[in-house]
C-alpha cells in the first residue's frame, strides 16, 4: 500500500480545475491536451495519481468528467443552478472512485486508489476536488477566465479574490501582449497624425 505524493500546485489551482484545463481555448481553436489514453495516464502520474495505463474507454470517461466539471464550475461561477446531468457525472465518479486520502511520511497528501481500479480511483479524486470547490467547501472563489477564447472556470485563492485569468502564463500574458501591441499601434498612429 504505497501513497503517491502530490506535487505542489501553483497558487490558485486545484486538481479538478487543472483537469478542465486539459482542453483549452474552448471558444477559439480548441487544443486537446489528452488526445490519447497514454497522455491521460501521463496527466494522472504528473498530478500524483498512480495510474500507469489507460484505455480508450477510460479516456472517454475522463473527458465526460472533465466536461461535467467545466459545465458545473461555469454555472457555479455565474451563480446559476448546476445542470443535473453534469452534476450526476461528477457524483457518480466520486461514488465509483473509492480512493482514500493518506498522509505521506513527509506529512503530505497521498492517495490510495481503491479496488475499483486505478483510473476509477483517480477520476474519483478529481471528482472529490470538484465537489469541494463547486460546493463552496474550499476557501476561494470560482471565476471565469477573462480571455474571450478561453472562458475556463478556475478557482481563485488569491488574497483579494480578483484574479482575471485562469493562468497568467498563457491567457494573461496573451491578453496583456495584445493590449500592449494595440496601445503601441494607436500611440504610433497618433504621432504620425500631428
Amino acid at each position: 500500500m504505497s501513497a503517491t505524493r502530490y506535487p505542489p500546485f501553483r497558487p490558485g489551482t486545484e486538481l479538478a480545475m487543472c483537469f478542465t484545463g486539459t482542453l483549452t481555448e474552448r471558444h477559439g481553436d480548441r487544443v486537446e491536451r489528452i488526445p490519447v489514453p497514454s497522455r491521460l495516464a501521463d496527466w494522472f502520474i504528473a498530478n500524483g495519481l498512480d495510474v500507469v495505463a489507460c484505455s480508450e474507454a477510460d479516456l472517454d470517461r475522463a473527458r465526460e468528467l472533465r466536461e461535467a466539471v467545466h459545465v458545473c464550475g461555469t454555472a457555479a461561477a455565474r451563480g446559476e443552478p448546476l445542470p443535473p446531468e453534469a452534476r450526476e457525472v461528477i457524483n457518480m465518479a466520486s461514488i465509483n472512485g473509492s480512493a482514500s486520502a493518506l498522509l505521506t511520511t513527509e506529512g503530505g497528501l497521498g492517495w490510495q486508489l481503491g479496488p475499483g481500479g486505478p483510473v476509477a480511483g483517480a477520476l474519483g479524486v478529481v471528482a472529490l476536488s470538484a465537489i469541494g470547490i463547486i460546493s463552496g467547501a474550499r476557501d476561494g472563489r470560482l471565476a471565469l477566465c477573462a480571455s474571450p477564447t478561453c472562458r475556463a472556470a478556475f478557482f481563485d485563492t488569491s488574497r483579494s479574490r480578483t484574479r482575471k485569468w485562469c493562468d497568467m502564463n498563457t491567457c494573461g500574458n496573451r491578453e496583456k501582449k495584445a493590449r500592449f501591441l494595440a496601445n503601441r499601434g494607436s500611440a504610433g498612429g497618433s504621432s504620425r497624425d500631428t
Side-chain angles (χ1 to χ4, degrees):
M1 179 169 118
S2 66
T4 303
R5 188 166 185 265
Y6 267 114
F9 286 108
R10 293 180 318 227
T13 63
E14 283 293 327
L15 189 63
M17 297 297 109
C18 288
F19 192 55
T20 64
T22 62
L23 178 63
T24 59
E25 297 300 308
R26 290 171 182 272
H27 300 282
D29 293 328
R30 291 174 171 234
V31 178
E32 176 61 70
R33 301 202 185 279
I34 52 170
V36 294
S38 62
R39 291 292 297 275
L40 176 61
D42 293 343
W43 187 90
F44 285 138
I45 293 294
N47 287 283
L49 298 165
D50 199 15
V51 176
V52 295
C54 296
S55 67
E56 285 291 334
D58 295 333
L59 181 58
D60 290 342
R61 284 194 338 249
R63 287 178 176 165
E64 180 184 35
L65 176 60
R66 176 185 69 192
E67 295 313 300
V69 172
H70 173 72
V71 166
C72 286
T74 299
R78 291 179 176 158
E80 299 171 353
L82 303 181
E85 302 84 18
R87 185 175 41 88
E88 184 66 17
V89 168
I90 294 169
N91 288 340
M92 290 310 297
S94 176
I95 290 167
N96 294 329
S98 66
S100 299
L102 304 172
L103 284 172
T104 65
T105 55
E106 300 85 16
L109 173 65
W111 292 97
Q112 176 66 45
L113 303 179
V119 174
L123 293 175
V125 172
V126 171
L128 287 171
S129 173
I131 290 167
I133 292 167
I134 295 167
S135 70
R138 297 287 320 273
D139 184 30
R141 169 185 81 92
L142 269 168
L144 298 177
C145 183
S147 169
T149 60
C150 179
R151 302 299 292 159
F154 68 92
F155 192 56
D156 182 4
T157 58
S158 68
R159 186 175 295 170
S160 64
R161 307 288 196 262
T162 57
R163 269 184 49 208
K164 292 175 59 173
W165 318 109
C166 64
D167 184 6
M168 192 61 214
N169 293 326
T170 54
C171 292
N173 281 342
R174 188 176 327 126
E175 292 299 315
K176 284 185 172 193
K177 181 179 178 182
R179 274 197 316 261
F180 172 77
L181 293 174
N183 289 339
R184 189 170 152 195
S186 65
S190 62
S191 65
R192 287 186 208 125
D193 296 337
T194 57

